[in-house]
Amino acid sequence: MSTASAALLLVEALRLDHDPLDLIRRRAFDALELGVGGFLLFGGDAAAASDLLMEVREAAGRPLWLAADLERGAGQQFAGCTSLPPPAALARHPEAEVAVRQAARITGHEARSLGLNWVLAPVLDLDLQGANPIVGTRSFGDDPVGVGRLGRLWVEACQSAGPAACAKHFPGHGRTLADSHLELPVVSASAAQLELDIAPFAESATVVDTIMAAHVAYPALSGGVDGNETDRQRPATRDAALLQDLLRRRLGFAGLVVSDALTMRGFSVPEDEGPAAVEALRAGCDLLLYPADIGRTAGALERAAEADSEIADRMEEARARSAAVLLQREAVLAGSGNGGASRAVREVQSLADGSILEWPQPAGAPAGSDGSACAGLNRDRTLLVHVFSDDVERPAVGEPGRAFTETLRELGWDARLASEAEVDASAEPDKPPAGGHKVVLVISSPQAFKGHAALSPDVSASVGREMASGGCLVVLGHPRLLESIGRSGVCAWSAEPLMERAAARWLAREASRPGVAGELPPNQAERE
């Protein structure tokens, strides 16, 4: 058994988001020489990513898996591509099924235009725990039937556009209270409860090309309370009871079982990555994503195959399955056009606008009526926008709040971002906002390594002080954040400029309703 054979089971990460291009290219060509099965790209400019993908494909001279996490469209990773509302927003769209199909189709078309043949989406986890730090708005919701239906629609639309889809994170990350990037979450739910989590994956099992296993332990599905302690604390990625007995035999999944990133602490500590990769292969994983050291991990797989015929057979099975699914997907890509992408701009604005909602929605009254989140907003010619972010990283595109204020100005409002001094001054309860109405923009996304879902104590206190002097509250995150702040407001779901612009249009439109806020500003009245 050669190292090249083992490396075919590994997918190397290329970090255009923070590594210099010369280092990325060297890493890519080293991986190709080793015989890697593919690449997983993160971030960077769309043109640079496309050029790199073309270069590695030509250098390889063979089919490769070329993947990216695109849960919110290609713009989630690559500057210059289209960002989309997160799954939670699509699910709340008035025409949710149409919205999901459109989002998946746009994602698939843009992925293939970049040179990708594999989209690591959709998330089929249920949004069951408000304190879950990693799911939240990435989920289509908490209803297993609804998530299963929308997830399958997303899979079918994406794969019809060309690239393979990936349902994740089997058998469900929704009940966890820990981030599997930081530690191994252990779900204490019973097997009967976990049937709800499994249901969305069962819905897509016969149509999706790949399913990603979670770095999460499920004692009730892996030996139960009387099972061996080591088995009960093993992540699904390394658990044959889940990957072979449940996913393969019971659900009938015939595609590729893939791991989440091997660098995550839920999978192993770095020094144990090689042995853990062997366990994952034995358990039923066909492709292993993002090893910390691809050469060392390939060597561990090679040595295990030489020492154990069962591992060697499992490796050959995984390689054959990967090759078959990849060739089938490449044939689909070669045989279908890229039609429909030209309608993306119009469709995307409609998707974003349709997902904005007032929370809580006024009982028995239309959104925007007196007492709503934007009541009185239009009485002032000047709008001061105060931004509070609880995210661990700045967004890839633009300054937070910039797209929001620019869109309002385009609609005839005199809107600007507040300075730090203005934020401090307006947070005094007895002092009204100077020069006009105040909008408080709160940003909080589910992010790897963040470790919490609710607002951090510092940000929560700052927002509370700010809202004590009044203002309109807009959350770029989950509507649960509005509940935690204890205020009504507008939910815009995620921090992309796309959603900022949609929130601005919503406020401008709702504030202009008769009886809500008086006359329109002259510039906007002329437009309408």
Side-chain angles (χ1 to χ4, degrees):
M1 184 66 63
S2 68
T3 303
S5 296
L8 277 170
L9 308 184
L10 301 176
V11 176
E12 177 72 298
L14 301 177
R15 304 290 316 220
L16 285 79
D17 51 351
H18 57 62
D19 288 342
L21 187 56
D22 58 343
L23 175 62
I24 293 168
R25 292 182 72 255
R26 185 164 63 250
R27 186 181 179 96
F29 283 100
D30 286 347
L32 286 175
E33 186 175 352
L34 192 65
V36 69
F39 294 97
L40 171 58
L41 270 65
F42 292 89
D45 176 77
S50 182
D51 289 346
L52 178 63
L53 287 168
M54 182 179 297
E55 190 174 3
V56 298
R57 187 188 290 268
E58 290 178 352
R62 57 183 171 86
L64 294 168
W65 284 110
L66 301 171
D69 281 299
L70 306 180
E71 297 166 14
R72 303 189 308 277
Q76 175 181 340
Q77 294 291 346
F78 306 111
C81 289
T82 304
S83 294
L84 294 167
L90 298 174
R92 292 299 296 264
H93 192 281
E95 297 182 80
E97 294 187 2
V98 173
V100 166
R101 288 192 191 98
Q102 288 177 335
R105 189 183 67 250
I106 292 167
T107 302
H109 284 310
E110 287 204 350
R112 67 177 300 172
S113 71
L114 288 166
L116 298 167
N117 57 16
W118 191 13
V119 174
L120 300 185
V123 168
L124 297 189
D125 305 320
L126 301 179
D127 182 22
L128 296 172
Q129 295 279 2
N132 187 314
I134 203 65
V135 176
T137 55
R138 299 170 68 196
S139 166
F140 288 113
D142 60 2
D143 171 40
V145 175
V147 172
R149 182 181 69 255
L150 295 179
R152 179 166 178 147
L153 290 174
W154 201 103
V155 166
E156 291 174 336
C158 177
Q159 292 188 164
S160 293
C166 182
K168 56 189 191 183
H169 307 84
F170 181 81
H173 214 310
R175 296 181 191 273
T176 61
L177 298 177
D179 179 0
S180 52
H181 294 82
L182 297 168
E183 59 184 286
L184 173 64
V186 179
V187 172
S188 60
S190 68
Q193 290 173 311
L194 289 169
E195 286 297 316
L196 300 176
D197 306 58
I198 294 165
F201 294 94
E203 180 67 24
S204 286
T206 59
V207 295
V208 71
D209 276 4
T210 69
I211 290 181
M212 179 181 289
H215 294 326
V216 177
Y218 306 85
L221 300 178
S222 184
V225 294
D226 297 325
N228 178 276
E229 182 65 22
T230 301
D231 289 341
R232 293 194 295 112
Q233 299 294 321
R234 179 178 287 124
T237 332
R238 294 156 50 191
D239 193 335
L242 290 170
L243 302 187
Q244 296 187 39
D245 297 341
L246 176 55
L247 182 56
R248 291 282 187 211
R249 298 187 182 98
R250 182 181 146 192
L251 301 189
F253 178 61
L256 291 181
V257 177
V258 306
S259 76
D260 210 337
L262 302 193
T263 54
M264 294 165 61
R265 286 301 181 97
F267 180 69
S268 73
V269 295
E271 56 269 24
D272 291 337
E273 182 179 288
V278 173
E279 279 192 23
L281 173 64
R282 186 193 298 271
C285 278
D286 300 307
L287 282 178
L288 304 172
L289 276 56
Y290 199 166
D293 186 325
I294 193 167
R296 185 171 62 187
T297 302
L301 291 170
E302 176 195 2
R303 291 188 295 274
E306 290 174 346
D308 187 335
S309 61
E310 181 183 339
I311 293 292
D313 290 344
R314 177 79 265 282
M315 184 179 294
E316 183 57 36
E317 177 189 36
R319 289 176 53 234
R321 183 179 288 123
S322 177
V325 176
L326 178 54
L327 288 174
Q328 183 180 43
R329 187 48 48 187
E330 291 283 289
V332 172
L333 285 161
S336 59
N338 200 26
S342 62
R343 301 195 302 274
V345 173
R346 184 168 63 253
E347 289 181 349
V348 168
Q349 180 170 319
S350 175
L351 291 177
D353 288 350
S355 68
I356 303 298
L357 59 87
E358 187 173 357
W359 193 270
Q361 294 173 298
S369 59
D370 283 337
S372 74
C374 62
L377 182 66
N378 208 31
R379 294 175 187 149
D380 305 302
R381 291 294 307 275
T382 300
L383 252 177
L384 209 54
V385 180
H386 302 247
V387 180
F388 297 90
S389 177
D390 197 39
D391 285 356
V392 295
E393 296 177 351
R394 289 176 60 88
V397 181
E399 176 186 2
R402 181 66 60 190
F404 183 80
T405 55
E406 288 177 350
T407 302
L408 285 169
R409 286 197 295 271
E410 291 168 2
L411 294 171
W413 296 76
D414 182 7
R416 64 184 177 87
L417 292 171
S419 67
E420 187 173 338
E422 287 172 318
V423 171
D424 292 340
S426 68
E428 300 174 24
D430 297 329
K431 186 173 182 178
H437 202 86
K438 177 172 61 178
V439 173
V440 177
L441 206 63
V442 180
I443 298 171
S444 184
S445 311
Q447 293 180 309
F449 304 105
K450 184 176 176 180
H452 61 274
L455 295 177
S456 64
D458 288 347
V459 171
S460 181
S462 296
V463 172
R465 287 193 298 269
E466 194 67 57
M467 290 303 298
S469 59
C472 175
L473 181 61
V474 178
V475 164
L476 299 171
H478 202 286
R480 280 191 292 259
L481 296 172
L482 288 164
E483 297 172 0
S484 70
I485 295 168
R487 300 269 183 166
S488 62
V490 179
C491 175
W493 300 103
S494 64
E496 285 87 4
L498 165 79
M499 301 309 295
E500 287 192 18
R501 289 191 287 269
R505 287 191 293 268
W506 191 95
L507 284 175
R509 182 178 67 252
E510 296 302 319
S512 69
R513 285 179 180 271
V516 176
E519 297 298 320
L520 293 171
N523 289 346
Q524 188 175 343
E526 291 172 7
R527 286 187 173 91
E528 298 194 359

